[in-house]
Amino acid sequence: MLIPAMILQQMDTDKLFADAERALKKFWGYDQFRPGQGEAVKSVLEGRETVVLFPTGGGKSLCYQVPAMVLDGLTLVISPLVSLMQDQVEQLTKLGIRATFINSTLPGYEVEQRLVNARNGMYKMLYIAPERLTSDRWKIEQPALNIQLIAVDEAHCISQWGHDFRPSYRSIREELGDAGEAARWVALTATATPEVRQDLIKSLQFTEPNVVTAGFRRPNLHWWVNHKANKKEVLQNAVSRGVKLGSGIIYSGTRWDCEKWAQYFTKQGIRTKPYHAGLESKQREKIQQEWIKGDTTVVAATNAFGMGIDKPDCRFVIHYSIPFSLEAYYQEAGRAGRDGEISYPILIFKQSDVKTLKSRIVKSYPEFDTLEKVYNGLCDELSLAAGSEHEKAEPVQIEHLTRRTGISSSGISSAINILQRLGVIETFELRESRIGIQFIVSKEYLREYIDDAPPRKAGFIDTLFRQSTPYAFGDYYFMDVYYLRDKLKVTENQLLKALTVFSEHDQILKMKWQGDETMIKVLTPRMKKLSIDHDKAYHYRDVLLSKLDYVTQYATTEQCREVFLRQYFGETDAEPCGTCDNCQKESNEKLSITEKEVRTVKKILIEGERSIPEIRQQTKWGSEKLKSVMDYMLREELVAMSGDKNSFYRLSNR
């Protein structure tokens, strides 16, 4: 008897999903998928165009990483951030999963080698920036890649209405051509309003996508906004209370604030470190790891902190400076309470801060003449002639551009941001320092040199030769300092001294050091006259101003904070959370707390910690009244929570 094709297809999907569940256990150690993950994975395996909308910490990555492990070919992951790609690949490699990335941190020969490896089936996942899809090298290699799944991560970047607009995302479908028609597709984001959702679906040319959402409800988060005039006092009180529950983050808009608050709270006995782009990458990495491990209690950071970080037990996130959008706020605040335990996102709001931010947005969009000056100055700094292509990313000193153009450093930075958003250039910061090596003698001479040199010196050059050949004879070959130190078994200082000797005394090589600096790649051949879409360039400024207005509305609304957020992201059935400051205020107005009720609870807890059911049994109160009384006593620090899952109440030490 012939089995109908539909039934056979279902049987194949069921088998693939069973394989996916086994892969989830084998590589990630989870017995089952979280709510929504299983549905998303099954949708991808069925070959349906899938849009995944999960909140921050909801486990989006597994929705394409697990299918990648059970599909035969390659999964292509399109990702906007260099640091995020590198973090993901590093984590996957540690799990024993073959993955790599292609972005502007790599020289051309390394990109070529990784593409050859991908063609030969050496990787299950290949991460790539959207801008790379237009490169000649990618177009040559792409037809030979067995691409089975295309995952568009941070898909809100597709939309001009998104909070991180990237025009290069809008041409993904066209650039992938036939590969895009044959492969499965999944787009993933944590922060997509209905407007953004429709825009990305249209841009990716999805016909009838399966939209899988876990919802934007975070019942363990108690959203709070404070309007008191003295912001510093509010922050000090909030942190002193928050650290009693666990670790946290303070988000500030300036590096100076981060440094100031880290110093202040450390003096108060709270281990606090600053985190911002002004610190060296190794220092930032160290601070991040100390916080994750619990050696540092609080991080005072700019919005540079948090991407890709998964610390389940972060108990509070305080925004000392208001964010530019609710998308950014929800993502940053959502780093609290990923383990499902009660946690507190707190926004310290002052109306004058809104005026300051609006002014910053307007100033960050310089006139076209400024954009053109910066573009030409940048190309001149990179020695890029008209019509010529930029082969690889290079470090650029903002101070040099300032001297060359006569434009302030802030104006330069604003122009660079717009040029990047328009897909003219790509920028990133090195995660680790790199050393570039170029041999200036022939291979034959170098082999003779190794044969005649003392053993230690010969071993050093031989290792260096093996790590960099054959590329280092035609151009600089860059390697991470940590990697090279490990291979040569030397300290960083010893490495630099040795290379200096080989360069200046023995004159067999040249070297270049690249530290913590901005790297820039011009993505198109140099234009004689800068040509950009003016509407796109300045329309986004108006979008940002509109988004800032929504932040103000969130901060000043009298309705439930969670309802406001969920409605902003398109949920129409949200009900009051009962735990945010507005819900608490309304609840307290309905049910005022008396001193007698407080004394009743104290009398129960003086005998030892109790759970809510035990307190209810002794007081005979209804659940609403009991909740109001306990929430009031928590806020006033009359009681504290204890137990493995904060499931018991006890009298505080106050």
Side-chain angles (χ1 to χ4, degrees):
M1 182 180 71
L2 291 175
I3 303 175
M6 187 179 296
I7 296 177
L8 284 173
Q9 184 179 359
Q10 184 60 49
M11 289 170 63
D12 288 343
T13 302
D14 291 343
K15 181 183 180 302
L16 282 174
F17 188 71
D19 291 342
E21 290 179 311
R22 282 191 285 273
L24 181 71
K25 178 64 175 177
K26 177 182 176 181
F27 292 102
W28 288 274
Y30 300 131
D31 293 321
Q32 59 186 15
F33 289 108
R34 290 185 193 176
Q37 281 182 332
E39 182 186 349
V41 168
K42 189 170 286 187
S43 177
V44 169
L45 295 176
E46 287 173 347
R48 300 181 65 186
E49 293 170 333
T50 306
V51 178
V52 176
L53 303 171
F54 286 179
T56 301
K60 295 184 298 299
S61 300
L62 288 181
C63 295
Y64 64 81
Q65 290 175 349
V66 174
M69 299 311 297
V70 300
L71 295 172
D72 290 333
L74 179 71
T75 290
L76 184 69
V77 184
I78 299 169
S79 177
L81 293 174
V82 169
S83 59
L84 201 54
M85 284 187 215
Q86 293 172 327
D87 285 339
Q88 293 269 5
V89 169
E90 191 176 307
Q91 290 170 19
L92 290 167
T93 303
K94 286 178 181 177
L95 295 173
I97 297 171
R98 302 188 310 277
T100 193
F101 60 82
I102 291 174
N103 56 40
S104 295
T105 65
L106 303 173
Y109 48 79
E110 182 66 25
V111 171
E112 188 173 352
Q113 184 60 59
R114 294 189 184 192
L115 285 172
V116 169
N117 293 345
R119 186 178 66 206
N120 293 332
M122 288 181 62
Y123 309 121
K124 293 301 292 181
M125 276 173 272
L126 173 63
Y127 286 74
I128 188 169
E131 291 82 5
R132 304 294 297 186
L133 299 179
T134 61
S135 69
D136 291 338
R137 184 174 284 108
W138 170 260
K139 288 179 178 178
I140 291 169
E141 292 290 345
Q142 180 192 300
L145 300 176
N146 181 21
I147 300 173
Q148 292 289 304
L149 171 61
I150 299 168
V152 184
D153 206 2
E154 306 296 337
H156 55 266
C157 293
I158 290 173
S159 175
Q160 61 183 321
W161 299 100
H163 66 289
D164 200 4
F165 177 48
R166 291 277 285 272
S168 54
Y169 261 68
R170 298 187 77 83
S171 60
I172 289 172
R173 192 92 193 204
E174 288 81 2
E175 296 297 344
L176 286 171
D178 292 339
E181 295 305 313
R184 297 167 169 84
W185 282 81
V186 58
L188 311 99
T189 179
T191 49
T193 63
E195 200 170 29
V196 170
R197 196 179 311 172
Q198 290 306 312
D199 198 16
L200 72 87
I201 288 172
K202 181 180 178 182
S203 179
L204 289 174
Q205 299 173 32
F206 286 0
T207 50
E208 295 181 2
N210 181 24
V211 179
V212 182
T213 177
F216 290 88
R217 183 166 184 256
R218 295 285 302 277
N220 63 310
L221 296 188
H222 293 193
W223 303 90
W224 213 266
V225 178
N226 197 302
H227 292 266
K228 290 182 180 177
N230 192 335
K231 287 177 60 177
K232 294 179 180 178
E233 183 182 333
V234 172
L235 178 63
Q236 290 161 3
N237 290 338
V239 171
S240 64
R241 289 187 177 194
V243 294
K244 294 175 183 176
L245 301 174
S247 60
I249 306 171
I250 303 167
Y251 279 112
S252 294
T254 67
R255 299 177 184 181
W256 186 83
D257 271 344
C258 296
E259 296 283 353
K260 177 184 73 173
W261 288 118
Q263 189 176 31
Y264 172 82
F265 286 115
T266 298
K267 285 181 179 178
Q268 301 303 309
I270 300 170
R271 292 167 299 179
T272 308
K273 293 286 181 68
Y275 186 105
H276 52 72
L279 302 173
E280 291 186 0
S281 61
K282 284 185 285 188
Q283 194 175 358
R284 293 199 300 268
E285 180 70 22
K286 184 171 181 284
I287 291 167
Q288 179 177 311
Q289 292 305 316
E290 286 176 351
W291 183 71
I292 289 173
K293 291 176 182 176
D295 297 333
T296 294
T297 307
V298 178
V299 175
T302 61
N303 59 11
F305 181 74
M307 185 63 74
I309 291 175
D310 187 10
K311 180 175 171 61
D313 59 346
C314 175
R315 286 288 157 260
F316 62 94
V317 174
I318 302 170
H319 277 77
Y320 183 70
S321 301
I322 62 173
F324 283 96
S325 69
L326 284 181
E327 287 92 338
Y329 179 64
Y330 184 82
Q331 195 168 55
E332 291 162 7
R335 290 177 183 132
R338 289 190 175 189
D339 57 2
E341 299 299 326
I342 293 174
S343 302
Y344 298 87
I346 300 169
L347 174 63
I348 302 175
F349 181 82
K350 202 171 183 178
Q351 193 66 47
S352 59
D353 291 345
V354 178
K355 293 180 181 177
T356 303
L357 275 191
K358 283 185 176 180
S359 175
R360 281 175 58 187
I361 290 172
V362 172
K363 287 180 180 178
S364 68
Y365 279 79
E367 296 300 322
F368 176 78
D369 288 349
T370 301
L371 290 180
E372 189 167 45
K373 275 186 182 179
V374 171
Y375 173 76
N376 288 328
L378 179 61
C379 290
D380 290 343
E381 187 74 16
L382 295 168
S383 302
L384 197 62
S388 59
E389 293 190 358
H390 194 197
E391 289 296 320
K392 59 185 178 183
E394 296 180 62
V396 174
Q397 300 290 333
I398 298 297
E399 311 87 74
H400 293 182
L401 281 178
T402 298
R403 287 196 294 270
R404 188 182 284 273
T405 62
I407 298 170
S408 68
S409 58
S410 61
I412 296 282
S413 298
S414 297
I416 285 175
N417 286 338
I418 292 179
L419 291 172
Q420 176 169 244
R421 192 174 291 125
L422 292 171
V424 176
I425 62 173
E426 184 180 10
T427 72
F428 58 90
E429 290 184 358
L430 289 176
R431 297 180 68 207
E432 305 293 351
S433 298
R434 301 193 305 184
I435 284 183
I437 302 295
Q438 182 182 2
F439 291 110
I440 55 176
V441 295
S442 67
K443 291 182 183 179
E444 291 73 22
Y445 180 92
L446 194 62
R447 289 192 181 99
E448 290 176 8
Y449 178 93
I450 293 170
D451 290 339
D452 296 338
R456 190 173 179 185
K457 201 172 187 179
F460 188 101
I461 286 293
D462 185 56
T463 302
L464 197 62
F465 171 71
R466 292 175 185 277
Q467 293 301 315
S468 58
T469 193
Y471 313 109
F473 286 89
D475 198 357
Y476 282 99
Y477 178 73
F478 285 92
M479 293 171 278
D480 286 345
V481 171
Y482 276 149
Y483 173 79
L484 203 51
R485 279 172 42 190
D486 182 60
K487 288 292 180 184
L488 294 167
K489 308 293 189 239
V490 294
T491 65
E492 187 172 307
N493 194 38
Q494 289 171 331
L495 174 64
L496 287 173
K497 281 185 177 179
L499 291 174
T500 301
V501 169
F502 294 129
S503 173
E504 296 178 1
H505 182 268
D506 297 1
Q507 296 186 353
I508 61 173
L509 58 80
K510 294 191 295 185
M511 70 168 180
K512 275 186 182 180
W513 174 276
Q514 291 181 347
D516 299 305
E517 49 199 344
T518 300
M519 305 286 288
I520 294 181
K521 185 177 192 303
V522 180
L523 298 173
T524 58
R526 179 174 180 177
M527 296 174 261
K528 290 183 179 179
K529 185 174 178 60
L530 178 64
S531 176
I532 61 170
D533 188 323
H534 286 68
D535 290 340
K536 284 183 179 177
Y538 297 102
H539 165 75
Y540 192 62
R541 172 191 60 195
D542 299 330
V543 171
L544 285 179
L545 290 170
S546 172
K547 287 184 176 296
L548 184 57
D549 285 339
Y550 277 109
V551 175
T552 304
Q553 291 176 40
Y554 167 78
T556 56
T557 185
E558 293 184 357
Q559 76 173 118
C560 169
R561 307 279 181 202
E562 186 178 286
V563 167
F564 189 98
L565 287 170
R566 291 171 65 188
Q567 287 178 343
Y568 178 79
F569 289 115
E571 293 188 9
T572 57
D573 57 349
E575 295 183 358
C577 65
T579 57
C580 71
D581 59 322
N582 281 344
C583 286
Q584 288 293 308
K585 179 181 176 183
E586 185 178 347
S587 177
N588 287 340
E589 286 173 355
K590 289 180 180 177
L591 184 63
S592 58
I593 310 303
T594 67
E595 184 62 31
K596 180 180 178 182
E597 289 160 348
V598 171
R599 285 200 304 270
T600 299
V601 174
K602 282 184 175 180
K603 189 174 180 181
I604 294 170
L605 296 183
I606 203 166
E607 297 175 5
E609 61 183 30
R610 295 286 186 272
S611 66
I612 282 290
E614 290 172 329
I615 298 172
R616 184 186 296 119
Q617 186 177 13
Q618 289 188 253
T619 60
K620 308 301 182 187
W621 294 339
S623 58
E624 183 180 354
K625 178 177 179 179
L626 178 58
K627 185 178 184 305
S628 298
V629 173
M630 299 312 297
D631 284 344
Y632 169 80
M633 294 181 72
L634 267 175
R635 288 199 307 277
E636 297 301 314
E637 296 184 302
L638 300 174
V639 297
M641 302 188 79
S642 60
D644 291 340
K645 294 187 176 181
N646 283 339
S647 54
F648 290 87
Y649 288 84
R650 60 173 174 78
L651 289 176
S652 72
N653 297 325
R654 180 176 165 182

